[in-house]
Amino acid sequence: MRNTMSKDSSQEPMVAADGRPRWRSWLDLWWIFAAVVAITIAMLVAGLYGPDPPIRVSRETTYITEPLADDGLPDYHAAWMAMVEPAPASEENIVTAVMQQFRLTERTHPDVRAVRTAMGIPADPPTDCLLYPPNDASANISEDVFAEAQERPWDGTRLPDLEAWIISNQDKIDQLRAAFERPRYWTPQRGFLEGYLGKATEIVACRAMWHVRHGRHADAWRDLHAIARLSCRMVGHERGPPDFYTVGEADRLRERVNQAITSTLLVKPGMSPEVVATIARDMDALEPPPAITDVVMLIRLQMIDYLSRHFRPSAKPADRKLLYEVIEVGQRDHHRMRTVIDITQTSIDWNRVLWRLNDSYDAIDAAFRLSGYQAQKRALEQAYDGFRKDYERWKQCGQGGMIIVSREYRSQFVGVGAAKSAVVDFGDIHNGLTRSRAEFVLTRTAVALAGWELDHKPDGSGYPERLEDLVPRYLPAVPIDPFADAPLLYERHGDGYLLASVGQNGVYDGGLDMRGWIAGGEWHDTPQKVDRNECDHVIRMPVPDRPFRLSSPPFVR
């Protein structure tokens, strides 16, 4: 008889020795495996999209530990303001006068309103403000004409409209110059006014070149000295650690003044020993450019502020996009850096990211605390090479699988990416500040040589044979080249001389100036092609009287 109650034996439970049923072993293993997979997936999802660990406030992560904002993280703007001296009286502040002179107080932009309120500036500007010449419809002055007039002496014979504008606005330009001579440059926002200062200084520099053409050397120097003082106030110690944008603007102003002294003021006939002595005295009283370690400090704080507050998964889409732009800087392989940004959408331990970033800034700061430009340059290159190698190592370690599995790996990967890419290229800042010091030393030495030459005109001896001859009457010591930590190069050439700094490559390239007009130690009619990394900084006297050409700039930038 057929057994209709039979089953597939594989579905029958097995009976244990104690009489209780149990399933076959392979079914047990399947359920165990399924449970493990489910738990693993849950853990991966929680690890990928769970909350970030809170950021710890410490020297290794946030760098500063106070003051704190409402969210418990350091308030970096308040910390910077604590490093800045209190606001000066309105009549002592350069910013107040420039804002009013250029009608900035009328603008409704939130930044302008905030700065105006913080500084106590009334919204109503003076009734008769100074207009930028190319923007003055009644002046008939083009951008090209105005640009040329800032670089070399000129008069109304060639530029009658510009001379008429200068004469009619003398009182306003005097007020602008007086503003530059105020003792403080204070604003509650970094980088707020620098763009407008460029236009203001162009007007004063243009008038200085007009004074030179008419032989009013003392008046020309007073205008140029006001610009030089302004450049020092912009990055003065009372403003706290300077940002690299303001440092760059101040450097351009110093370059303008140095170039005007060596290419126009000292070479025109009629210079008196008294004016040369005044220039020397005023230059000695100027503050030096800021230390690059101060710039490193502020940029470190800015970047940590960005990463700790704005670039986390909870940030706004606009901030996420900004993170991509910041961390992508200098990257050729953009799609890999986009991977870094995608990773930051998942759970990240930002303490590890900030630790990596701080470690990088510590290496940069240590490089700049070494003695001598060349030693600093080598240490900085080694630091950047370490950042690149670290990034490549982490990129290849585990590839995509580790990114999914390990939050620690993701955090380290984002950290090394930020250290390699989000850290500003301090090489350019380092070169710029050292170049500024070198050009100042060159210019100050040229002033001393001019004083010697004027004092020795009666005997017809011209310039000295050695720089040592200038000590101690014209210089306190033999001038040192900041790029080489050695004396400047000096050679008598006919009735003039060649004075040079070796530049950032540390090698004398035969008197090849970075602007291209001087090559082989001699002036050329047209600028030569120059690799800025392989050239010198040169002053060559006498300076030829090049024609006034509105069709091309006087220097190769």
Side-chain angles (χ1 to χ4, degrees):
M1 179 177 177
R2 186 172 61 182
N3 184 3
T4 58
M5 300 298 292
S6 64
K7 299 180 183 178
D8 187 346
S9 60
S10 65
Q11 299 180 7
E12 293 180 358
M14 297 180 66
V15 179
D18 60 0
R20 290 181 300 176
R22 63 183 177 86
W23 295 101
R24 295 180 183 277
S25 60
W26 69 271
L27 290 176
D28 290 344
L29 293 174
W30 189 91
W31 281 108
I32 293 172
F33 174 76
V36 170
V37 170
I39 293 172
T40 301
I41 292 175
M43 292 177 63
L44 286 175
V45 171
L48 279 170
Y49 299 106
D52 296 340
I55 293 178
R56 298 186 299 273
V57 176
S58 68
R59 162 63 177 78
E60 293 73 25
T61 54
T62 58
Y63 193 73
I64 63 172
T65 58
E66 59 181 12
L68 299 180
D70 293 339
D71 60 3
L73 294 176
D75 187 332
Y76 289 91
H77 181 73
W80 175 73
M81 289 300 297
M83 301 176 192
V84 179
E85 292 184 3
S90 179
E91 62 272 12
E92 296 180 355
N93 194 355
I94 298 169
V95 177
T96 302
V98 174
M99 286 187 69
Q100 292 177 314
Q101 192 73 14
F102 278 87
R103 292 183 177 271
L104 298 184
T105 54
E106 291 181 311
R107 304 197 175 194
T108 58
H109 190 280
D111 285 348
V112 175
R113 291 202 305 269
V115 170
R116 190 183 66 217
T117 301
M119 298 172 62
I121 303 174
D124 297 331
T127 56
D128 192 15
C129 292
L130 184 64
L131 296 176
Y132 186 61
N135 296 341
D136 190 342
S138 63
N140 192 31
I141 300 169
S142 68
E143 291 277 2
D144 289 341
V145 166
F146 188 56
E148 284 287 334
Q150 300 165 39
E151 301 288 351
R152 64 187 68 190
W154 62 275
D155 58 25
T157 304
R158 185 63 184 261
L159 303 176
D161 292 332
L162 182 56
E163 184 172 63
W165 186 89
I166 289 288
I167 293 173
S168 64
N169 287 280
Q170 284 277 48
D171 291 342
K172 298 175 188 175
I173 301 174
D174 285 340
Q175 294 172 14
L176 193 59
R177 181 184 64 191
F180 294 169
E181 294 172 342
R182 290 184 175 188
R184 292 287 304 280
Y185 182 97
W186 191 93
T187 171
Q189 289 192 20
R190 294 184 298 269
F192 171 72
L193 195 63
E194 279 76 356
Y196 299 102
L197 286 175
K199 292 184 176 181
T201 56
E202 287 173 6
I203 294 172
V204 178
C206 177
R207 188 175 71 168
M209 294 298 99
W210 177 64
H211 282 317
V212 172
R213 174 62 73 184
H214 289 283
R216 297 186 291 267
H217 301 102
D219 291 334
W221 171 242
R222 185 175 178 187
D223 283 346
L224 294 172
H225 182 224
I227 298 174
R229 281 171 52 90
L230 170 63
S231 71
C232 295
R233 296 291 179 266
M234 290 171 63
V235 292
H237 67 277
E238 71 275 1
R239 293 203 69 210
D243 62 278
F244 69 94
Y245 177 77
T246 304
V247 168
E249 288 294 312
D251 181 60
R252 279 186 281 275
L253 296 185
R254 285 191 293 268
E255 182 182 7
R256 177 189 295 279
V257 173
N258 292 334
Q259 189 64 30
I261 293 172
T262 57
S263 66
T264 60
L265 197 55
L266 294 182
V267 304
K268 294 301 176 184
M271 278 290 289
S272 67
E274 292 76 19
V275 173
V276 173
T278 298
I279 296 174
R281 183 176 61 253
D282 290 343
M283 291 188 71
D284 289 341
L286 294 174
E287 298 178 21
I292 192 169
T293 50
D294 291 339
V295 183
V296 174
M297 162 72 82
L298 185 59
I299 294 178
R300 181 202 295 249
L301 297 183
Q302 288 175 320
M303 188 56 63
I304 294 174
D305 187 20
Y306 288 150
L307 288 178
S308 64
R309 193 181 307 280
H310 301 297
F311 295 156
R312 302 174 68 190
S314 59
K316 298 178 181 178
D319 289 336
R320 308 291 318 159
K321 181 177 182 295
L322 183 57
L323 172 59
Y324 172 68
E325 294 173 352
V326 169
I327 207 169
E328 185 189 51
V329 171
Q331 294 298 318
R332 296 179 181 178
D333 202 354
H334 289 180
H335 72 278
R336 288 178 178 170
M337 292 315 300
R338 188 177 291 277
T339 300
V340 173
I341 307 306
D342 293 338
I343 293 171
T344 60
Q345 304 288 349
T346 62
S347 179
I348 296 293
D349 185 351
W350 289 95
N351 294 290
R352 292 190 176 276
V353 176
L354 295 175
W355 176 84
R356 280 280 177 180
L357 196 64
N358 270 313
D359 192 53
S360 301
Y361 281 114
D362 286 343
I364 292 170
D365 185 78
F368 289 135
R369 292 187 184 279
L370 297 176
S371 177
Y373 169 84
Q374 296 300 332
Q376 294 171 354
K377 181 180 178 182
R378 287 191 297 270
L380 184 63
E381 290 172 350
Q382 291 173 0
Y384 277 113
D385 187 55
F387 301 160
R388 287 190 292 269
K389 289 180 179 178
D390 207 15
Y391 175 75
E392 291 299 324
R393 180 173 64 84
W394 277 93
K395 185 177 65 178
Q396 296 171 6
C397 177
Q399 298 296 327
M402 290 297 294
I403 289 177
I404 296 174
V405 172
S406 172
R407 179 171 63 192
E408 178 179 351
Y409 175 81
R410 291 194 302 274
S411 304
Q412 295 280 20
F413 184 67
V414 173
V416 296
K420 178 180 180 294
S421 306
V423 174
V424 172
D425 185 0
F426 286 99
D428 288 343
I429 301 175
H430 186 216
N431 292 334
L433 286 173
T434 309
R435 181 179 67 250
S436 180
R437 289 186 173 91
E439 291 187 348
F440 180 85
V441 173
L442 287 166
T443 303
R444 178 64 182 89
T445 306
V447 173
L449 289 166
W452 170 287
E453 194 269 341
L454 287 172
D455 288 345
H456 289 76
K457 273 199 173 191
D459 59 26
S461 60
Y463 295 102
E465 295 296 328
R466 307 175 307 155
L467 293 180
E468 288 84 349
D469 297 335
L470 298 172
V471 181
R473 179 174 179 181
Y474 301 93
L475 288 173
V478 175
I480 300 299
D481 181 358
F483 282 109
D485 291 322
L488 294 174
L489 297 167
Y490 174 74
E491 299 174 2
R492 281 288 303 270
H493 277 247
D495 60 348
Y497 64 82
L498 182 144
L499 185 67
S501 160
V502 297
Q504 65 191 53
N505 66 348
V507 177
Y508 181 54
D509 297 292
L512 175 63
D513 186 59
M514 67 182 302
R515 297 175 180 86
W517 287 101
I518 304 172
E522 300 296 340
W523 287 96
H524 289 255
D525 294 334
T526 57
Q528 310 298 299
K529 292 184 178 179
V530 174
D531 182 347
R532 294 174 68 92
N533 297 320
E534 297 181 0
C535 61
D536 309 310
H537 300 278
V538 183
I539 293 177
R540 177 70 171 92
M541 293 291 181
V543 177
D545 188 11
R546 296 192 303 276
F548 201 96
R549 297 171 296 181
L550 297 179
S551 59
S552 63
F555 301 112
V556 175
R557 298 294 183 188

